[in-house]
């Protein structure tokens, strides 16, 4: 609790992000990651593998480093493979409301090739991301008030890939108790989709006898995704 409070005080962030509780959410996410590290490991590994693969397939300059990748919802870089991204692209834009110190230190190792952008992604993509060769949206979509608008913005990009939690599942042992759609019925229509389960809060993290998990999907955003979003 003390570490979370200190993190809230010491993390640089714009006033609007602090006022909307996004700094507090970021600190709570990092604290839950520390407590549920083993349960989260398969999800984080699956995200990193998908994004590294998307980055190598999406590199447009044959690895010469002249291209740009934008990572939306980069946060603490728990699920983002920064080193392979920086190896495949000359410029990496990390876009989030909050960039905790963990992300700042990792970015600094890449000597100016990784830029941190504070931006409210509920209001669209930042100007710098419009010219990116590849846009990656990472576990962000379900946190935005209008997932359809974000999906349409991704579909307008040169190339875009997405990872998102889509359903919240409550279970007790092997018995599923409830399942809730997190995207208000928005059809992602991803190309080459894959999926897995994120054990977000295994008992007793939130409830003494129930587990909370998320169904996660990943894939390329297509023109069809734009039509599905509207
Ligand atoms: C579940 S976290 C993603 C995890 C992150 N990729 C990581 O590796 O730590 C969701 C991220 O979305 C960001 N976010 C939520 N709403 C946002 C908004 N309106 N604008 C910008 N970022 C936002 C949060 O700050 C957080 O970093």
């Amino acid at each position: 609790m003390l570490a979370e409070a200190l993190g809230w005080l010491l993390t640089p962030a714009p006033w609007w992000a602090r006022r909307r509780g996004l700094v507090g959410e970021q600190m709570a996410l990092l604290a839950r990651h520390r407590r549920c590290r083993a349960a989260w490991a398969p999800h984080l590994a699956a995200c990193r593998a998908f994004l590294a693969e998307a980055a190598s397939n999406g590199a447009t300059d044959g690895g010469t480093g002249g291209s740009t990748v934008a990572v939306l919802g980069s946060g603490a870089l728990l699920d983002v493979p920064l080193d392979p991204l920086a190896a495949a692209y000359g410029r990496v834009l990390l876009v989030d409301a909050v960039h905790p110190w963990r992300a700042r230190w990792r970015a600094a190792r890449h000597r100016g090739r990784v830029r941190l952008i504070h931006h409210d992604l509920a209001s669209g993509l930042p100007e710098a991301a419009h010219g990116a060769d590849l846009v990656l949206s990472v576990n962000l979509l379900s946190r935005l008030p209008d997932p359809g608008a974000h999906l349409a913005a991704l579909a307008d990009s040169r190339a875009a890939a997405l990872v998102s939690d889509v359903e919240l599942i409550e279970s007790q042992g092997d018995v599923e108790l409830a399942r809730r759609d997190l995207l208000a019925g928005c059809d992602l229509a991803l190309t080459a989709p894959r999926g897995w389960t994120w054990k977000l809060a295994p008992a007793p993290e939130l409830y003494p006898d129930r587990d909370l998990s998320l169904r996660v999907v990943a894939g390329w955003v297509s023109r069809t995704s734009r039509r599905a979003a509207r």
Side-chain angles (χ1 to χ4, degrees):
M1 211 51 196
L2 182 64
E4 271 181 63
L6 269 177
W8 188 90
L9 276 173
L10 299 178
T11 301
W15 173 240
W16 58 265
R18 214 170 267 289
R19 193 163 41 89
R20 278 168 39 188
L22 292 168
V23 180
E25 279 178 23
Q26 186 69 251
M27 295 307 121
L29 183 107
L30 282 166
R32 177 156 297 147
H33 171 247
R34 282 193 292 275
R35 291 190 300 270
C36 303
R37 193 179 290 269
W40 284 27
H43 159 68
L44 298 180
C47 283
R48 288 194 208 110
F50 169 74
L51 295 171
E53 196 183 304
S56 74
N57 292 340
T60 52
D61 64 353
T64 55
S67 53
T68 302
V69 59
V71 184
L72 314 181
S74 51
L77 299 179
L78 296 174
D79 51 24
V80 177
L82 185 59
D83 294 344
L85 291 184
Y89 291 81
R91 279 177 303 279
V92 182
L93 310 177
L94 300 179
V95 186
D96 204 292
V98 184
H99 297 286
W101 282 106
R102 186 180 191 280
R104 291 167 186 269
W105 287 320
R106 280 170 195 226
R109 284 195 219 140
H110 292 276
R111 299 175 196 285
R113 287 174 56 208
V114 178
R115 183 176 154 206
L116 304 176
I117 300 176
H118 286 114
H119 184 79
D120 179 7
L121 288 158
S123 66
L125 271 49
E127 195 57 39
H130 286 297
D133 300 276
L134 176 64
V135 178
L136 302 171
S137 172
V138 190
N139 289 309
L140 164 76
L141 190 67
S142 66
R143 275 104 190 143
L144 297 176
D146 183 354
H150 183 68
L151 200 55
L154 294 178
D156 281 337
S157 305
R158 220 173 276 176
L162 169 96
V163 183
S164 178
D165 40 3
V166 293
E167 281 182 329
L168 179 67
I169 303 157
E170 194 181 322
S171 57
Q172 197 164 38
D174 291 338
V175 181
E176 185 177 313
L177 303 174
R179 185 177 280 252
R180 186 161 64 85
D181 174 16
L182 297 174
L183 296 182
C186 181
D187 174 12
L188 298 183
L190 298 175
T191 304
R194 64 180 79 169
W196 60 84
T197 301
W198 175 3
K199 289 188 179 169
L200 178 72
E205 170 67 14
L206 276 176
Y207 301 108
D209 57 350
R210 279 171 290 155
D211 304 323
L212 285 189
S213 306
L214 294 164
R215 186 166 75 82
V216 177
V217 297
W220 288 92
V221 178
S222 62
R223 297 282 149 188
T224 322
S225 306
R226 188 217 320 246
R227 282 198 294 280
R230 282 182 177 145

